[in-house]
Amino acid sequence: MGLVETFRGPVDSLLLGPTLIHEHIFVRSPELEVNFPDSEWDRSVAVESAVAGLTDLHDQGIRTVVDVTVPGLGRDVQLVKEVAERVPVNLVAATGWYTSNVLPPYFQVHGPGRIIDRPDPLIDLFVGDIHHGIAGGPVRAGILKVMTDVDGITPDVARVMNAAAIAHEETGVTITTHSHPASRNGREQQAYLKERGVAPERIIIGHSGDSEDLDYLCQLMDNGSTIGMDRFGMEHVLSDERRVRTLTSLLDRGYVGQMVLSHDAAFYSHVTPPSWRASSAPRWRMDTLSRSVIPKLRAAGVSSEDITRMMTENPRRLLETAK
Ligand SMILES: [Zn+2]
């Protein structure tokens, strides 16, 4: 048992309930908004859409949503806090940096051995977000997020991962990843973080559900990590029918304790705006598990106990801090 930081302050982990562990409230591009605005971005429309969507999720039985939007994806906790204050579900904030290759110029100049020689500001950022609150508070981050994609662990991505490993050691907060399952790079993430002292049990290899390679997925779990079957509804990558087939195969093999379910959806994303989502990815929404996938799992014979483990108990274990 322990306390988990949310947008409304610490919550007893036993009260987290069914949890969507990898979602985005808003994905934005602040610099583009200033210079090349998106006609689909309307602050109040976005807020109302998130409030309505999250209130509906509560009606569907969801009690906690983890917003893994970190800097690099337009994190704005003041905006999300406006939403959090109006919805019955808990929202959890994340820290980390989202880049698949390079960091912004600031980080090229500030850091050990750089022009402005000082300890890595990424470490201050991550630890500060978790211990003191994001941008001066009061919202504290409850999870660390790192990413590697097709470029693998570039020097700047390595810097983010090193800083996350140090912040994990100082805070005990779990590390979740964006992986690129097509190149099976969850293994590389796992090995890299483990070398830096992170127990594989405290790592979620995100987006693993994009893969249908059971040997790869079992290997990640046999090494101790939890895998994110976290893109239900993202049928432009892989159909839900195939995602469900992979999930039930892994349940048959006994991996219920090491899988978490989510959508990686958003109420607004500048990258894939609402109009595109409506026409090309209509099921990529945060209610797809509740309304469609979980009923299908039950019909396929998956027990309520197994669903509770994946939706409630596994997220709770991972969101509880290890110290
Ligand atoms: Zn994501």
Side-chain angles (χ1 to χ4, degrees):
M1 206 187 77
L3 294 174
V4 173
E5 291 295 336
T6 76
F7 275 78
R8 289 193 301 253
V11 167
D12 185 331
S13 65
L14 291 172
L15 301 176
L16 291 177
T19 298
L20 298 177
I21 203 154
H22 191 122
E23 306 291 348
H24 300 273
I25 306 303
F26 308 121
V27 172
R28 293 165 65 197
S29 312
E31 194 166 24
L32 280 165
E33 280 172 26
V34 170
N35 295 287
F36 185 51
D38 171 19
S39 60
E40 292 192 42
W41 170 251
D42 179 315
R43 193 181 196 279
S44 62
V45 168
V47 167
E48 293 309 318
S49 144
V51 168
L54 291 164
T55 303
D56 175 64
L57 284 180
H58 186 267
D59 293 341
Q60 300 297 320
I62 300 297
R63 293 291 176 268
T64 300
V65 175
V66 181
D67 180 8
V68 290
T69 310
V70 294
L73 284 175
R75 182 181 74 177
D76 179 349
V77 292
Q78 293 313 316
L79 182 61
V80 176
K81 193 164 177 290
E82 281 179 36
V83 174
E85 280 162 1
R86 293 176 53 197
V87 296
V89 293
N90 304 303
L91 298 183
V92 175
T95 188
W97 199 283
Y98 187 91
T99 178
S100 62
N101 40 49
V102 295
L103 284 161
Y106 173 87
F107 295 103
Q108 311 307 332
V109 173
H110 294 246
R114 298 188 183 250
I115 296 168
I116 299 176
D117 195 356
R118 50 162 291 189
D120 195 333
L122 285 168
I123 299 168
D124 292 348
L125 173 69
F126 299 170
V127 173
D129 284 356
I130 295 165
H131 275 165
H132 307 298
I134 293 164
V139 178
R140 294 183 187 193
I143 199 160
L144 279 153
K145 160 110 173 268
V146 300
M147 80 171 289
T148 64
D149 206 272
V150 283
D151 296 337
I153 303 177
T154 67
D156 279 9
V157 169
R159 202 172 149 189
V160 175
M161 292 177 79
N162 291 338
I166 291 166
H168 167 82
E169 195 189 349
E170 282 191 30
T171 65
V173 162
T174 286
I175 299 179
T176 189
T177 78
H178 162 113
S179 70
H180 182 253
S183 56
R184 295 173 178 76
N185 72 0
R187 291 184 293 219
E188 195 187 13
Q189 295 180 335
Q190 198 175 44
Y192 191 90
L193 290 169
K194 189 179 173 189
E195 272 171 35
R196 280 148 190 86
V198 183
E201 289 74 16
R202 301 299 291 166
I203 303 170
I204 304 168
I205 304 294
H207 310 335
S208 294
D210 286 357
S211 172
E212 296 179 287
D213 179 345
L214 298 184
D215 291 340
Y216 165 66
L217 298 171
C218 290
Q219 193 187 353
L220 294 175
M221 293 189 282
D222 291 340
N223 287 342
S225 295
T226 293
I227 60 172
M229 309 302 273
D230 54 15
R231 283 179 153 179
F232 281 99
M234 204 193 265
E235 296 199 296
H236 50 289
V237 175
L238 187 70
S239 73
D240 280 353
E241 194 187 331
R242 289 167 69 172
R243 292 179 189 277
V244 164
R245 200 183 308 153
T246 305
L247 178 63
T248 53
S249 301
L250 294 170
L251 288 173
D252 288 343
R253 294 186 184 198
Y255 288 100
V256 66
Q258 288 173 272
M259 293 191 284
V260 285
L261 313 183
S262 209
H263 308 88
D264 198 17
F267 292 107
Y268 166 87
S269 170
H270 184 246
V271 182
T272 45
S275 60
W276 179 86
R277 287 176 181 236
S279 62
S280 304
R283 283 168 55 83
W284 194 20
R285 302 159 45 94
M286 286 179 217
D287 60 353
T288 287
L289 276 164
S290 305
R291 287 207 158 86
S292 161
V293 174
I294 290 174
K296 279 187 192 127
L297 291 174
R298 290 187 197 280
V302 176
S303 69
S304 298
E305 291 73 25
D306 281 1
I307 290 166
T308 301
R309 284 192 73 185
M310 293 186 287
M311 292 295 293
T312 304
E313 293 173 21
N314 298 342
R316 179 170 72 220
R317 178 187 75 234
L318 290 155
L319 288 169
E320 284 173 344
T321 46
K323 53 173 78 172

